[in-house]
Amino acid sequence: MQFEFATSTRIIFGAGKLREAGSVVKAAGKRPLVVTGKNVQRAEPLLKLLRENNVECSTFSVSGEPKIQTIRDGVDFARREDCDWVIGMGGGSALDAGKAIAAMMQNEGDVLDFLEIIGQGKALKGSARFLAIPTTAGTGSEVTRNAVLASPEHKLKVSLRSAHMLPSIALVDPELTYDLPPNVTASTGLDALTQLIEPYVCLRANPMTDVICVEGIRRVGRSFRMTIENGRDQEGRSNMSVASLFGGMALANAGLGAVHGFAGPIGGMYSAPHGEICAALLADVMEINMRALRGCAGRSDASKRYDYVAGLLTGNDQATAGAGIEWVRQLVSDCKIPRLSAHGIKSEDIPEIVKHAKNASSMKANPIVLTDEELAEILRRAM
Ligand SMILES: [Zn+2]
């Protein structure tokens, strides 16, 4: 057995923890750049904390998923404002933007030089301190070492990736998710679930990520529906925030699978939220993976792992994979997650998506190599 598990992020978890974070923000640096989502108002609890602790800051808001140009603008602004560290507060987009800006503040040259696939993939030399404060329970970006950036001219999403990009601190306060509307709770929560199931069955799963995934999936099984029905359910929100955090740690240390192999190219080609894409694909990927695994190739114990996932989700330890797939399918349907066709994806686009998805890094960790026809079938079913 061989594996690595790395995290140097200090994790502070708990309801109300943001209000108590005065000493954390005072110790981190002089002047933070606060990176928020489109609605700066959502960062008000943080801005209040900074005011109370006499920490002056500059704010930079990101609308939609971050683009390469967003990072250039953010770094220019941070330098003009003399910021020496960064706080990202928001969903995955704000956290990824903050993480990439913090990294580029400590590196010469253009962000493109450091990007995979479309750039030169140069190594980052370091990063400014970065504090991540998630306001959704989904991406786990608060503990991952990459930032997903869109390049509209390439119609691609690529990662800026480096061990230096692990956030210095992740402050996870489930209270910040209490007011999320049910549709956002659903799509981000299904991303979190996907980021626990894929690392658990994938080719690079290891004993450390296994315990994290099992515990995360169990909490999703127990609490997902509760948070949709009552957004202020404290235990449910707390469990979903744990699940998101664990998903981030698992994907950063094990990898993902076909759902995320598709989500990268689809996210680059269409303007569809990441969580909705993953949610629309999850059950069909599980089903086709299970069918392909019956041919005995691939990860030898992956079918058993899908059975175990079913037990964790349904609470019935006799459950087999089919019951888990059905559990996911019913949840996605009850949450009214749009089908892929709702994002403008047409059947004639399938070959192009398959071509890109095959080469995505996430696809390489899928428990079994799927054929082009199997990949196309997944897309057709999710349309
Ligand atoms: Zn994801």
Side-chain angles (χ1 to χ4, degrees):
M1 185 190 303
Q2 295 181 349
F3 67 88
E4 270 191 42
F5 189 97
T7 184
S8 55
T9 303
R10 175 183 168 201
I11 297 166
I12 303 170
F13 186 99
K17 282 292 176 191
L18 177 59
R19 286 193 298 277
E20 301 166 9
S23 57
V24 173
V25 293
K26 274 204 285 202
K30 289 203 284 282
R31 184 185 180 93
L33 176 76
V34 174
V35 179
T36 71
K38 187 171 52 190
N39 183 357
V40 184
Q41 203 52 42
R42 283 193 61 90
E44 185 47 36
L46 167 66
L47 299 174
K48 180 166 173 272
L49 176 85
L50 294 172
R51 284 195 300 272
E52 285 168 359
N53 287 279
N54 301 313
V55 176
E56 285 186 24
C57 70
S58 307
T59 57
F60 182 75
S61 114
V62 175
S63 69
E65 298 181 342
K67 301 177 189 69
I68 292 169
Q69 189 57 39
T70 315
I71 306 312
R72 293 182 183 126
D73 295 344
V75 173
D76 288 347
F77 181 68
R79 288 186 176 142
R80 276 204 306 276
E81 297 282 309
D82 220 7
C83 297
D84 61 337
W85 66 292
V86 179
I87 307 175
M89 180 166 176
S93 296
L95 298 193
D96 276 8
K99 203 190 285 181
I101 291 168
M104 290 310 301
M105 279 163 64
Q106 296 286 306
N107 286 273
E108 301 283 318
D110 186 62
V111 58
L112 197 57
D113 303 340
F114 299 91
L115 285 172
E116 304 173 340
I117 305 168
I118 58 172
Q120 298 162 33
K122 270 168 57 179
L124 290 165
K125 294 198 178 75
S127 169
R129 279 182 81 80
F130 178 59
L131 163 61
I133 308 176
T135 59
T136 62
T139 63
S141 181
E142 65 273 18
V143 282
T144 64
R145 61 192 113 176
N146 68 307
V148 181
L149 305 177
S151 172
E153 70 258 44
H154 296 92
K155 289 198 171 182
L156 268 180
K157 276 189 176 175
V158 286
S159 270
L160 184 63
R161 193 184 301 272
S162 164
H164 294 297
M165 289 174 69
L166 272 174
S168 317
I169 305 171
L171 197 158
V172 184
D173 183 341
E175 276 185 10
L176 302 173
T177 68
Y178 287 4
D179 293 325
L180 289 176
N183 65 325
V184 178
T185 300
S187 61
T188 51
L190 277 153
D191 185 25
L193 176 59
T194 309
Q195 294 178 173
L196 290 160
I197 295 178
E198 294 211 293
Y200 184 60
V201 299
C202 85
L203 294 175
R204 293 195 273 120
N206 69 57
M208 292 283 292
T209 56
D210 283 351
V211 285
I212 289 172
C213 291
V214 165
E215 184 55 22
I217 295 167
R218 197 193 320 273
R219 284 172 192 264
V220 172
R222 204 187 297 156
S223 293
F224 198 119
R225 283 182 184 272
M226 237 184 272
T227 59
I228 303 287
E229 284 155 23
N230 174 15
R232 304 195 84 79
D233 185 285
Q234 290 183 26
E235 191 196 333
R237 287 298 195 183
S238 188
N239 279 337
M240 291 307 291
S241 289
V242 167
S244 172
L245 177 70
F246 282 13
M249 291 174 84
L251 79 88
N253 287 285
L256 289 157
V259 176
H260 280 82
F262 279 124
I266 292 176
M269 291 164 72
Y270 309 87
S271 66
H274 173 77
E276 288 189 9
I277 301 171
C278 292
L281 287 162
L282 179 58
D284 292 314
V285 166
M286 292 168 81
E287 196 159 2
I288 300 294
N289 270 349
M290 269 303 289
R291 196 182 70 193
L293 285 161
R294 278 186 213 114
C296 293
R299 190 185 165 107
S300 58
D301 64 347
S303 308
K304 280 210 187 69
R305 284 175 174 251
Y306 274 120
D307 290 342
Y308 197 63
V309 167
L312 295 169
L313 290 175
T314 62
N316 169 11
D317 58 14
Q318 304 297 312
T320 51
I325 295 166
E326 204 36 55
W327 189 94
V328 171
R329 212 180 277 294
Q330 192 61 49
L331 182 68
V332 167
S333 156
D334 293 347
C335 292
K336 302 191 172 59
I337 299 288
R339 313 292 299 165
L340 289 185
S341 50
H343 302 295
I345 302 172
K346 299 185 189 67
S347 47
E348 55 263 37
D349 305 341
I350 288 177
E352 174 84 3
I353 300 172
V354 168
K355 191 179 89 188
H356 290 300
K358 257 170 42 173
N359 297 315
S361 57
S362 295
M363 193 63 88
K364 303 205 163 73
N366 199 56
I368 184 162
V369 178
L370 298 173
T371 64
D372 288 12
E373 179 42 38
E374 284 165 332
L375 293 171
E377 184 181 353
I378 291 168
L379 289 174
R380 279 197 302 273
R381 288 182 179 208
M383 296 284 272

